[in-house]
């Protein structure tokens, strides 16, 4: 257990990357969103109008802005940290467990930050002007009951998926991530081939919680994949 | 004295490449082992296995009584920084100094600070931008300040200036005396390090070619030099590790002790006999060609013939 905790601390040792960079990116996306809103304002759109609100809530920038960085963070959490973890004396088992625990902590942290910022945005009637930064559809449209699982599970899925790609690289070199990506694409296409005839009825019956289940499946498979790739991995 | 490290017929293959070929040796607790040999001889591979970072394809390696691979209690007592160590992105010195104590129960922060200052390791520069010598300095800081029961130092001198090397020697000897531990040190700067060693293991092509206590090195081999004819007279029928010829002069390093017959043969031809330094011994074993089909066996093994270098240069 101590070894797992030490591995978690190893990941958290880069405090800026884990805790601050996501905030920097969030701030940058917020700034760009505000500038775009100002652009629409100057072009005649009226803050608070139905059109303004519906258009602003369609902004997916926050999602796009963070996913790239979180994917990188997940990859490097294994690819460059694993060799150093072995040097420090961590077991592969403890490192893999510590990586998943770190991903959970990071996801919870971001969910908490986004919750607070969303509450502030709602309490200030969208920053006193009508800027929709966090009260957007992709983050649950101001509903914390949706925002928290979206940010938590979304972040966790991206971090662990990045982690399994990093582990594939550690285990098989550049061939690993390539083969993994091709494998995932093949599985997705085969799944689509199977379900495409009934896709319309599936979409009609779609429930939001299906996404949560999908995220949980991705997280579980990725966590198992990290362990399976790292267990025989050799650093050379 | 108890055995800290036991390597028993360890073989490690990577595809068709054999990095270790039935390597065997042991290291006593509280001693310093010099692990010597040419590049590619298998030093880093066996250190990786001892450190639990790799597993032998065949054979057995035990550290402190247990197999190190995935053995948390053993790994917590091992310190091993690779010569090509990779660090997490954007790591700086303070990241290393902050996390290392979590994994090394005997970590000495004051010693780490003393070494970091002595080596003048830049604290604000990312590790991936440091020079080769500065990277070696960080490895030494981690290796010595960990005060691990098993300390593996893989080419710690790479890129170090002479002042830094002196500091490394000074601190290692001082801290080793105050906090005894088992040290395995691989290096090509044999002459600078040999006074540290209690035991010397020379490896070549993945196998141990020599395993002796350091005070027995003088008894391992000797050099004969003189005219080519005089040297050939002495080497005939004796186990030769290496020979060098320049013009009509020649020297040869022979395995074994100088006995009366050797002295008589040397005297008859006017050849000179001299002891071999550890550095010369490592070089001689590095030149030794095991695949030859004729020659005299070194230790009762298969007959071997040494490479005859004509330019006098040593690797």
């Amino acid at each position: 257990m101590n070894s797992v905790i030490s591995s978690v601390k190893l990941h958290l040792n880069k405090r800026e990357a884990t805790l601050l960079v996501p905030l920097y990116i969030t701030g940058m996306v917020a700034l760009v969103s505000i500038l775009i809103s100002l652009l629409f304002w100057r072009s005649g759109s009226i803050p608070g109008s139905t059109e303004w609100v519906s258009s602003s809530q369609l902004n997916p920038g926050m999602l796009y802005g963070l996913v790239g960085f979180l994917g990188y963070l997940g990859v490097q959490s294994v690819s460059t940290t694993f060799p150093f973890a072995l040097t420090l004396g961590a077991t592969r088992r403890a490192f893999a467990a510590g990586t998943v625990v770190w991903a959970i902590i990071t996801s919870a942290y971001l969910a908490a930050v986004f919750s607070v910022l969303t509450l502030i945005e709602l309490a200030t009637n969208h920053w006193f002007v009508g800027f929709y930064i966090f009260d957007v559809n992709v983050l649950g449209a101001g509903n914390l009951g949706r925002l928290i699982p979206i940010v938590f599970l979304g972040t966790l899925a991206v971090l662990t998926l990045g982690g399994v790609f990093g582990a594939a690289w550690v285990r098989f070199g550049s061939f690993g991530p390539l083969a993994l990506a091709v494998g995932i694409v093949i599985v997705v296409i085969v799944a689509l081939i199977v379900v495409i005839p009934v896709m319309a009825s599936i979409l009609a019956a779609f429930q939001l919680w299906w996404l949560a289940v999908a995220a949980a499946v991705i997280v579980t498979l990725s966590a198992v994949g990290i362990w399976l790739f790292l267990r025989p991995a050799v650093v050379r | 004295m108890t055995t800290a490290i036991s390597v028993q017929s360890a073989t490690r293959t990577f595809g068709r490449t054999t990095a270790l070929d039935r390597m065997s040796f042991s290291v006593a607790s509280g001693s310093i082992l010099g692990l010597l040999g040419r590049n590619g001889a298998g030093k880093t591979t066996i250190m990786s296995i001892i450190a639990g970072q790799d597993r032998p394809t065949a054979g057995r390696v035990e550290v402190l009584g247990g197999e190190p691979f995935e053995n948390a209690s053993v790994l917590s007592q091992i310190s091993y920084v690779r010569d090509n160590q990779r660090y997490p992105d954007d790591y700086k010195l303070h990241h290393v100094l902050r996390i290392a104590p979590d994994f090394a129960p005997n970590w000495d922060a004051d010693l780490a600070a003393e070494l970091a200052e002595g080596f003048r390791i830049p604290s604000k520069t990312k590790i991936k931008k440091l020079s080769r010598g500065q990277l070696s300095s960080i490895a030494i800081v981690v290796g010595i300040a960990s005060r691990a029961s098993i300390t593996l130092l893989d080419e710690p001198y790479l890129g170090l200036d002479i002042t830094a090397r002196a500091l490394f020697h000074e601190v290692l000897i001082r801290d080793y005396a105050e906090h005894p531990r088992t040290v395995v040190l691989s290096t090509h700067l044999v002459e600078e390090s040999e006074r540290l060693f209690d035991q010397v293991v020379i490896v070549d092509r993945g196998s141990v070619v020599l395993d002796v206590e350091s005070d027995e090195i003088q008894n391992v081999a000797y050099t004969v030099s003189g005219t080519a004819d005089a040297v050939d007279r002495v080497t005939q029928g004796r186990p030769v590790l290496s020979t060098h010829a320049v013009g009509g002069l020649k020297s040869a390093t022979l395995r074994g002790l100088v006995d009366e017959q050797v002295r008589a043969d040397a005297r008859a031809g006017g050849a000179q006999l001299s002891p071999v330094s550890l550095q010369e011994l490592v070089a001689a074993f590095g030149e030794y060609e095991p695949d030859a089909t004729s020659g005299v066996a070194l230790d009762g093994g298969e007959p071997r013939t040494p490479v005859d270098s004509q330019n006098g240069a040593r690797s």
Side-chain angles (χ1 to χ4, degrees), chain A residues 9 13-14 72 87 92, chain B residues 70 85 89 95 98 102:
Chain A
K9 290 171 82 172
N13 195 30
K14 284 187 6 175
Y72 153 77
T87 287
R92 289 157 173 78
Chain B
E70 288 297 271
Q85 180 63 48
D89 288 354
H95 289 106
R98 189 165 62 199
D102 279 291

Side-chain angles (χ1 to χ4, degrees), chain A residues 21 25 29 61-76 154 158-159 162:
Chain A
V21 173
I25 293 171
V29 173
M62 197 58 77
L63 179 71
Y64 295 157
L66 276 173
V67 164
F69 172 74
L70 292 174
Y72 153 77
L73 197 60
V75 170
Q76 70 83 43
V158 174
L159 286 176

Side-chain angles (χ1 to χ4, degrees), chain B residues 71-287:
Chain B
N71 188 332
S73 64
V74 171
L75 292 177
S76 67
Q77 299 179 71
I78 298 175
S79 172
Y80 172 53
V81 184
R82 307 174 68 89
D83 64 342
N84 60 347
Q85 180 63 48
R86 291 205 301 270
Y87 295 87
D89 288 354
D90 302 329
Y91 249 43
K92 296 177 182 175
L93 175 64
H94 75 269
H95 289 106
V96 176
L97 299 183
R98 189 165 62 199
I99 194 62
D102 279 291
F103 290 87
N106 300 322
W107 179 264
D108 186 314
D110 293 334
L111 181 60
E114 177 195 340
L115 284 165
E117 187 180 340
F119 286 127
R120 297 182 181 173
I121 304 172
S123 59
K124 295 180 180 176
T125 307
K126 291 178 183 175
I127 289 179
K128 64 184 175 186
K129 293 185 177 177
L130 295 181
S131 69
R132 177 61 260 182
Q134 290 165 332
L135 289 172
S136 295
S137 300
I138 292 179
I140 290 172
V141 170
V142 174
I144 297 182
S146 291
R147 287 197 176 139
S149 301
I150 306 292
T151 301
L152 308 171
L153 298 165
D154 188 11
E155 305 280 8
Y157 301 105
L158 283 180
L160 285 187
D161 60 59
I162 191 165
T163 309
R165 296 204 298 270
L167 174 65
F168 166 66
H169 280 142
E170 176 200 326
V171 176
L172 177 62
I173 292 171
R174 186 189 77 204
D175 207 56
Y176 172 77
E178 293 171 359
H179 304 276
R181 68 200 81 164
T182 306
V183 179
V184 177
L185 192 159
S186 78
T187 181
H188 294 300
L189 293 180
V190 179
E191 215 162 2
E192 284 192 24
S193 313
E194 63 177 305
R195 65 193 172 96
L196 297 171
F197 303 148
D198 299 307
Q199 179 188 352
V200 169
V201 167
I202 300 176
V203 293
D204 192 52
R205 295 182 173 89
S207 299
V208 172
V209 293
L210 184 71
D211 180 0
V212 292
E213 301 295 317
S214 58
D215 53 9
E216 294 175 7
I217 289 167
Q218 295 294 322
N219 301 328
V220 170
Y222 58 94
T223 295
V224 55
S225 57
T227 62
D229 288 345
V231 171
D232 288 343
R233 182 189 183 106
V234 177
T235 59
Q236 191 171 20
R238 294 193 171 95
V240 180
L241 291 173
S242 68
T243 61
H244 296 263
V246 178
L249 298 176
K250 193 172 184 180
S251 71
T253 301
L254 290 84
R255 184 79 196 267
L257 283 166
V258 175
D259 56 22
E260 278 309 313
Q261 188 58 50
V262 171
R263 286 199 182 89
D265 288 345
R267 204 179 304 120
Q272 303 288 317
L273 296 172
S274 56
V276 176
S277 70
L278 179 57
Q279 179 160 302
E280 290 169 330
L281 195 58
V282 173
F285 273 111
E287 293 174 15

Side-chain angles (χ1 to χ4, degrees), chain A residues 12-219:
Chain A
L12 292 172
N13 195 30
K14 284 187 6 175
R15 294 167 188 168
E16 183 173 13
T18 298
L19 304 178
L20 296 181
V21 173
L23 300 189
Y24 300 157
I25 293 171
T26 301
M28 290 300 295
V29 173
L31 180 64
V32 171
S33 296
I34 289 170
L35 289 174
I36 291 172
S37 297
L38 287 172
L39 187 67
F40 280 108
W41 194 353
R42 292 284 291 169
S43 66
S45 196
I46 300 168
S49 65
T50 306
E51 181 195 16
W52 174 277
V53 172
S54 61
S55 300
S56 298
Q57 288 192 313
L58 288 175
N59 179 11
M62 197 58 77
L63 179 71
Y64 295 157
L66 276 173
V67 164
F69 172 74
L70 292 174
Y72 153 77
L73 197 60
V75 170
Q76 70 83 43
S77 72
V78 174
S79 62
T80 64
T81 309
F82 177 68
F84 189 55
L86 288 191
T87 287
L88 291 173
T91 61
R92 289 157 173 78
R93 188 172 52 249
F95 177 79
T99 301
V100 174
V101 172
W102 162 79
I104 291 170
I105 291 171
T106 305
S107 303
Y109 163 75
L110 281 182
V113 167
F114 272 68
S115 298
V116 169
L117 291 172
T118 302
L119 287 173
I120 293 173
E121 182 168 304
L122 294 174
T124 58
N125 196 18
H126 303 91
W127 312 103
F128 308 105
V129 180
F131 293 142
Y132 286 69
I133 312 298
F134 302 99
D135 178 8
V136 292
N137 293 341
V138 75
L139 293 177
N143 181 347
L144 289 191
R146 289 184 177 179
L147 178 136
I148 292 173
I150 286 171
V151 176
F152 178 77
L153 289 174
T155 302
L156 189 55
V158 174
L159 286 176
T160 52
L161 196 58
V164 78
F165 273 89
W169 182 80
V170 168
R171 177 71 181 86
F172 297 109
S174 56
F175 173 76
L178 182 66
L180 183 61
V182 170
I184 290 172
V185 168
I186 289 173
V187 168
V188 169
I189 291 175
V190 169
L192 284 173
I193 291 170
V194 172
V195 303
I196 204 79
V198 291
M199 185 61 89
S201 57
I202 289 175
L203 290 176
F206 177 78
Q207 299 290 317
L208 206 53
W209 60 265
W210 291 9
L211 290 178
V213 172
V217 169
I218 290 171
V219 169

